[in-house]
Amino acid sequence: MKNLSIIVSNISGELSSEEFLPSIIDACERYKGKKEILFVLQNHKDNTEKVVSQMAKHCSFLRIIKPRDFEHNLSPKTLGAKQARGDVLFFVDDNVELEPEFFEKAGKHLHKNFFILSTCGYNYYSGKQQDGIKILKWKKGNFRFSENILNRYLKKDRGDFWQSFAVQGAYSFVDARRFRLLGGFDDALFKDYLLEADLAYRGLKRGWDIIYLSSINAYHKTNVARLKYSKKLKVTFKRNRYLFVWKNVRSFRLSLSHMVWNILKMPDFHNWKAYFQALSKLGIVSKRRKIEKKYCKVSDMKILKKSKKQKESLLKKSYTKRPFNPHYRKNYKRKLRR
């Protein structure tokens, strides 16, 4: 079996690590190949390091990664990937609970030729599925990555191996060799938003596959509603959407659409602010764009058409929609490692 590096991003602090890290350790113990867990500390003023250190005393494959002074501008995912030794990288946030058989099931697919393996995601509170096959589409001058085709639309006799067109960054496998060929994540442009989307799209343009595994489950404890009320985050989201298109899109048709739609949106103050913030990074965008041009094999329009075709084929009337039953977490008990 391939060597596996699990990179845990410490984004939520002490309580999340104490609650969810044991599930990651338990699932990892069942994986028969070589493995390591790299827990990347953030600058939280709490007892996260102490809590994780106690767990590490009883887990030989758990290591704590601390950013050095010159690394604070890098994302936790990048910091973990720099020290990872595995053939496959699994990126997971510290507010995610994994089912006990998570890596055991995934191990059966890690030998296959893939770029990214995405997994089935459920809401931690309701048990409802929220992440499935990701459909990429173009709307109002920008890419949209949030549309999902859920398991209840999929035919059981087709197995659990499906093509996808984007990825949920909170829980996904990435082939380490291809990750490094891409130069890893682009922290200079997308550290705060669209980091995984940029990586996934660059891989798609090189002709690599994103695969969705419908039978491998993760449970995400998140509250995105609060993010909508942050003006700073709102500007960041808009800025990074500009940067994503400027860096990755080569289609004249899409570029023209992007320009027209954003002229129409300019009366919005946040759009103006985001636009000028994006302009300040134009030099970096230009360099990245030239690099990607050398390796691009698949056009923007071809990817969008392929994604649309996937959606139509899965949602056509001949496919029977399975009844929806919320998938609730198993209430199995774990001993907290202290």
Side-chain angles (χ1 to χ4, degrees):
M1 299 185 80
K2 288 195 173 184
N3 296 348
L4 178 63
S5 292
I6 299 153
I7 297 161
V8 184
S9 298
N10 172 220
I11 61 172
S12 303
E14 173 188 351
L15 295 177
S16 282
S17 300
E18 192 169 18
E19 183 176 3
F20 295 114
L21 187 55
S23 79
I24 298 172
I25 295 171
D26 287 351
C28 192
E29 284 176 341
R30 295 176 180 232
Y31 184 71
K32 295 178 181 177
K34 288 186 178 180
K35 64 258 184 172
E36 62 177 352
I37 298 176
L38 308 176
F39 187 93
V40 185
L41 279 173
Q42 289 275 64
N43 190 26
H44 292 299
K45 295 180 179 179
D46 59 15
N47 294 319
T48 302
E49 185 175 0
K50 184 178 179 181
V51 168
V52 178
S53 296
Q54 288 294 322
M55 296 185 194
K57 289 178 181 179
H58 304 277
C59 181
S60 60
F61 49 82
L62 172 61
R63 287 195 290 142
I64 296 175
I65 306 296
K66 297 180 185 179
R68 289 167 284 190
D69 292 339
F70 59 89
E71 292 179 327
H72 285 289
N73 62 329
L74 299 178
S75 67
K77 290 179 171 67
T78 295
L79 290 170
K82 284 175 70 176
Q83 298 199 35
R85 297 174 292 217
D87 305 310
V88 176
L89 311 177
F90 178 70
F91 295 100
V92 62
D93 292 345
D94 66 352
N95 58 355
V96 172
E97 181 181 276
L98 303 181
E99 62 176 352
E101 305 85 8
F102 190 90
F103 296 115
E104 194 175 17
K105 289 180 182 177
K108 300 172 185 177
H109 301 283
L110 297 184
H111 67 282
K112 296 176 181 176
N113 183 28
F114 72 92
F115 167 46
I116 293 176
L117 287 179
S118 66
T119 60
C120 182
Y122 291 90
N123 184 288
Y124 178 83
Y125 298 102
S126 67
K128 293 181 179 180
Q129 187 183 355
Q130 58 189 19
D131 292 303
I133 296 173
K134 297 286 183 182
I135 297 299
L136 183 65
K137 64 180 181 180
W138 183 265
K139 185 178 179 182
K140 295 184 178 180
N142 280 296
F143 278 111
R144 296 290 187 266
F145 310 92
S146 57
E147 185 174 353
N148 291 275
I149 296 177
L150 305 179
N151 287 359
R152 64 181 186 270
Y153 292 98
L154 307 180
K155 277 192 170 180
K156 287 184 177 180
D157 58 6
R158 283 274 308 275
D160 67 343
F161 211 62
W162 305 82
Q163 186 168 19
S164 188
F165 295 89
V167 65
Q168 165 56 267
Y171 28 79
S172 57
F173 294 89
V174 182
D175 178 73
R177 182 183 66 85
R178 287 178 169 172
F179 176 82
R180 293 184 177 107
L181 282 173
L182 284 171
F185 294 113
D186 193 345
D187 291 308
L189 297 179
F190 304 108
K191 180 185 174 184
D192 303 309
Y193 178 58
L194 295 182
L195 193 67
E196 300 84 5
D198 171 70
L199 182 82
Y201 193 69
R202 284 187 285 139
L204 287 174
K205 294 195 77 171
R206 296 191 188 202
W208 300 342
D209 290 329
I210 298 174
I211 303 299
Y212 167 66
L213 299 174
S214 61
S215 63
I216 301 176
N217 307 311
Y219 305 88
H220 198 185
K221 185 178 182 180
T222 181
N223 184 8
V224 293
R226 292 193 304 173
L227 301 180
K228 295 178 182 177
Y229 300 102
S230 167
K231 292 180 181 178
K232 184 177 179 181
L233 278 172
K234 193 173 182 179
V235 172
T236 298
F237 291 170
K238 291 176 181 293
R239 180 200 69 199
N240 286 16
R241 285 188 186 130
Y242 281 123
L243 295 172
F244 187 94
V245 174
W246 297 353
K247 174 186 173 182
N248 293 307
V249 173
R250 300 193 173 275
S251 163
F252 175 76
R253 177 181 166 186
L254 297 183
S255 298
L256 183 61
S257 166
H258 172 76
M259 183 176 68
V260 171
W261 273 103
N262 283 291
I263 288 173
L264 294 174
K265 295 174 186 175
M266 275 307 174
D268 185 334
F269 171 74
H270 293 112
N271 274 305
W272 272 108
K273 193 170 182 179
Y275 180 75
F276 284 112
Q277 284 186 13
L279 280 180
S280 69
K281 294 180 180 285
L282 206 54
I284 300 172
V285 170
S286 180
K287 290 178 183 177
R288 301 284 199 274
R289 191 175 171 87
K290 287 177 183 177
I291 293 170
E292 293 306 315
K293 185 180 179 180
K294 295 178 184 177
Y295 303 103
C296 180
K297 294 181 180 179
V298 185
S299 70
D300 302 298
M301 296 307 297
K302 189 172 182 179
I303 292 171
L304 284 171
K305 286 177 182 177
K306 202 172 180 180
S307 178
K308 184 179 179 181
K309 188 177 179 181
Q310 171 79 316
K311 178 182 176 180
E312 289 173 350
S313 68
L314 292 174
L315 300 183
K316 64 184 180 181
K317 292 181 181 179
S318 60
Y319 275 67
T320 304
K321 179 179 171 182
R322 284 187 251 159
F324 169 62
N325 294 309
H327 187 122
Y328 290 100
R329 296 178 298 112
K330 295 178 181 178
N331 294 317
Y332 56 90
K333 295 181 179 180
R334 302 189 188 89
K335 292 181 181 179
L336 184 65
R337 291 162 172 76
R338 294 193 179 278

